[in-house]
């Protein structure tokens, strides 16, 4: 599997919607575990105040990521193959859990 970066722009209007999508993502991810694995996500505030995300996934291919996105109601075509990883420090404690 390869490592991918997924950018979802302004999908959610509030934290409850984001939390519901995260629950669905775990469920669908388990069903697709032979093709995809969710590594981590960062929720971001968009310029219009909506919530977007930057997600890190391992996947067999882009189509697995697209299918997962469709099934959880958070599609994205902004999918990039990661070229490498440089971890300089551990992530800080989250402000709120996703």
């Amino acid at each position: 599997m390869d490592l991918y970066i997924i950018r979802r722009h302004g999908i959610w209007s509030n934290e409850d919607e984001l939390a519901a999508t995260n629950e669905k993502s775990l469920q669908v991810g388990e069903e697709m575990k032979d093709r995809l694995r969710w590594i981590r996500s960062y929720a971001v505030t968009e310029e219009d105040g909506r919530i977007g995300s930057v997600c890190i996934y391992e996947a067999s291919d882009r189509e697995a990521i697209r299918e997962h996105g469709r099934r959880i109601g958070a599609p994205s075509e902004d999918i990039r193959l990661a070229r490498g990883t440089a971890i300089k420090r551990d992530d800080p404690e989250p402000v709120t859990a996703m």
Side-chain angles (χ1 to χ4, degrees):
M1 287 205 267
D2 290 315
L3 193 65
Y4 290 92
I5 313 299
I6 300 98
R7 177 69 166 95
R8 293 186 171 102
H9 300 272
I11 301 279
W12 307 278
S13 60
N14 59 55
E15 297 287 335
D16 291 338
E17 289 180 3
L18 177 60
T21 301
N22 286 329
E23 287 297 316
K24 183 72 173 174
S25 183
L26 288 170
Q27 173 191 354
V28 172
E30 183 61 27
E31 294 167 5
M32 295 180 68
K33 65 184 174 187
D34 60 324
R35 298 176 55 210
L36 165 131
R37 187 168 77 108
W38 181 15
I39 306 299
R40 75 170 30 113
S41 293
Y42 297 93
V44 298
T45 302
E46 304 290 357
E47 289 189 24
D48 65 359
R50 294 182 62 82
I51 302 169
S53 66
V54 177
C55 303
I56 313 298
Y57 280 79
E58 281 185 330
S60 57
D61 54 33
R62 283 182 168 87
E63 184 50 39
I65 294 169
R66 288 185 188 102
E67 178 184 337
H68 178 265
R70 284 190 301 270
R71 290 176 63 183
I72 67 170
S76 178
E77 290 301 316
D78 194 350
I79 302 166
R80 310 298 168 116
L81 182 62
R83 293 185 57 144
T85 303
I87 300 171
K88 305 303 180 191
R89 294 177 182 83
D90 292 336
D91 282 338
E93 291 297 315
V95 175
T96 59
M98 284 188 70

